[in-house]
Amino acid sequence: MLEVKEINQFYGGSHILRDVSLSAPVGECSVVLGRNGVGKTTLLKCLMGILPIKSGQMLLDGKDIAKMSPEQRVRAGLAYVPQGRDIFSTLTVEENILIGMAKFSGAKTRKVPSHLYEIFPVLDEMKHRRGGDLSGGQQQQLAIARALASEPRVLILDEPTEGIQPSIIKDIGRVIRKLADQGEMAIVLVEQFYDFAEEFADNYTVMARGQVVAQGRGDDMPEKGIRELVAI
Ligand SMILES: Nc1ncnc2c1ncn2[C@@H]1O[C@H](COP(=O)(O)OP(=O)(O)OP(=O)(O)O)[C@@H](O)[C@H]1O
Ligand SMILES: [Mg+2]
């Protein structure tokens, strides 16, 4: 379980995150919703240790991770699929996935586990192609496979459906659901689209201007009042 308790973050004098709290239990897809610029990516960067927080707590299975470096957090079990994917376009698909295994040592760092190619068969077909040759949707699948390669306890995804064709959105959705249902990891999914969130959220958090403005169980996510706070 990942817990965020009343975190505050500033960019210079701008107060970007204001007392943000949420819980992401193992076996659930925890969706964070909100429009452009409300602070979703900032929250995820704080979780990963890429940005410092001014106050608050971040706990992984009860252990405080707030002072850890990004590398230490990856070792502790966090994996991040950044907005815009950030795959290495000159490296092959296989090399990109192997980068996700850097926290391991020995022979384990040299072979992509077959289950990752089973999750995303297209990556198996394209494993010797360069990352930059893949479509946007395939690159997103690659970024998710790279994150999964670290065998995370918490998988953090920043708008994985952004700019991707509907058929691949469906594939990605199926994978996220399956991973959550396997019950071995917590998933934190940032989204702007109500319908996608409504389909996948076991619990939801809606942000507006750096604050949590609604939170609850996915089954009880009210359409009225929330649709206005997201993109569509
Ligand atoms: N490096 C930065 N320096 C200063 N302000 C920043 C920086 N990055 C983001 N911001 C500001 O912080 C706020 C939150 O940005 P953030 O990227 O977290 O939003 P977001 O919810 O992820 O938006 P989007 O849906 O467009 O990805 C915005 O007002 C943005 O302008
Ligand atoms: Mg963002």
Side-chain angles (χ1 to χ4, degrees), residues 206 213-214 222-230:
V206 185
V213 292
E223 183 161 358
K224 197 168 166 338
I226 290 188
R227 216 179 252 284
E228 296 91 271
L229 294 166
V230 297

Side-chain angles (χ1 to χ4, degrees), residues 80-152:
Y80 182 42
V81 181
Q83 189 168 13
R85 310 181 270 276
D86 278 353
I87 58 124
F88 296 96
S89 56
T90 57
L91 300 183
T92 66
V93 166
E94 191 159 63
E95 288 164 344
N96 268 280
I97 300 175
L98 289 174
I99 285 172
M101 302 174 70
K103 77 177 195 188
F104 302 122
S105 57
K108 195 168 178 182
T109 61
R110 292 190 288 273
K111 190 171 182 310
V112 173
S114 57
H115 75 267
L116 291 178
Y117 287 137
E118 281 155 24
I119 295 173
F120 296 116
V122 68
L123 300 180
D124 195 12
E125 288 159 29
M126 300 186 82
K127 63 182 159 201
H128 301 303
R129 301 279 290 278
R130 295 193 326 167
D133 294 339
L134 272 56
S135 71
Q138 291 163 344
Q139 289 184 0
Q140 188 66 60
Q141 290 169 302
L142 175 56
I144 297 171
R146 180 180 60 188
L148 290 174
S150 69
E151 299 175 7

Side-chain angles (χ1 to χ4, degrees), residues 201-213:
D202 294 306
N203 67 78
Y204 70 91
T205 297
V206 185
M207 290 177 65
R209 287 199 222 137
Q211 277 181 305
V212 174
V213 292

Side-chain angles (χ1 to χ4, degrees), residues 34-42 44-45 80 83 158-159 162 190 192:
R35 287 196 182 162
N36 285 337
V38 298
K40 304 180 301 297
T41 297
T42 303
L44 300 190
K45 286 183 176 170
Y80 182 42
Q83 189 168 13
D158 197 349
E159 299 201 36
E162 196 179 26
V190 159
Q192 289 210 30

